[in-house]
Amino acid sequence: MRPLPDLTAQHRRLNDLGLRLPDLPPGLTGDLLVVHHRRVPVADLVPLLRRGDRPGFVVEDLTDLAEFDPAPGVQVPDADLYAVHAPERGDEHADRSPDEVDPQIRARGRDLMTVAEGVAWVIQQPEVLERNHCFMTTGSRRARVSGPGLDARVPALWISNGTGRDGRDRRDAPKLGWCWAGNRHTWLGIASVAGRSTA
């Protein structure tokens, strides 16, 4: 996989896509530029994803995407733009559930990738989504509607097969969907980051 462009080039690409972002903060360092979800909702970024000529889409039954916030313990900088360090797709975690893996990722000194960070990554590096090698973004979770604890869903990014409600026209398109936190999938890793920074 090719290296990510530098942050200046990533900022330029996002503006070229029509986001009209604030200036890149002087001194910001890192590997991946992320737009905070309060500045641009994740659902508005997903159509900017591309795989060939196919734009990205959010699955129909994820209408509450905006209600997914950083998971407990995930510290996202309070800035419109911030940088992520060393994103990893987590292929080694395929066929294991988020419930099993998330504590192990944190024990390694890494943190869980949020859905905004995952979408930012695929915008800048579309090839990070490969058939049978896609990923969950367990750093974003939704509180339960009633009672304490978390909704059992976790957002995930993969490639549509064009079946069911996706529709044949969306075959091979990047897809933002969800999986159960207790389920295992052979084709989904669990993504993580080494850290986050602001200028």
Side-chain angles (χ1 to χ4, degrees), residues 51-131:
R51 192 168 186 272
D53 63 349
R54 302 298 172 105
F57 68 98
V58 179
V59 296
E60 291 183 9
D61 59 353
L62 193 55
T63 57
D64 55 357
L65 175 60
E67 297 173 27
F68 281 73
D69 291 318
V74 173
Q75 299 294 320
V76 171
D78 185 20
D80 286 344
L81 299 174
Y82 67 93
V84 155
H85 300 268
E88 291 182 359
R89 194 166 60 183
D91 292 357
E92 69 273 23
H93 303 308
D95 205 23
R96 301 176 67 202
S97 74
D99 286 346
E100 296 169 309
V101 171
D102 286 358
Q104 296 174 18
I105 289 173
R106 286 171 156 158
R108 288 173 49 209
R110 293 180 62 83
D111 203 1
L112 313 175
M113 181 180 286
T114 70
V115 65
E117 293 162 357
V119 169
W121 195 11
V122 180
I123 287 174
Q124 300 290 350
Q125 203 167 32
E127 65 269 28
V128 77
L129 285 186
E130 300 179 71
R131 285 279 178 198

Side-chain angles (χ1 to χ4, degrees), residues 168-188:
R168 284 181 293 178
D169 290 346
R170 286 174 165 167
R171 179 173 174 78
D172 294 326
K175 171 178 177 176
L176 175 57
W178 59 270
C179 301
W180 299 117
N183 284 6
R184 300 174 178 178
H185 298 277
T186 59
W187 44 279
L188 285 175

Side-chain angles (χ1 to χ4, degrees), residues 13-37:
R13 172 166 170 71
L14 293 174
N15 277 317
D16 288 347
L17 290 170
L19 293 189
R20 299 180 182 175
L21 298 177
D23 291 342
L24 193 67
L28 182 64
T29 60
D31 299 302
L32 174 65
L33 184 64
V34 180
V35 183
H36 197 289
H37 63 272

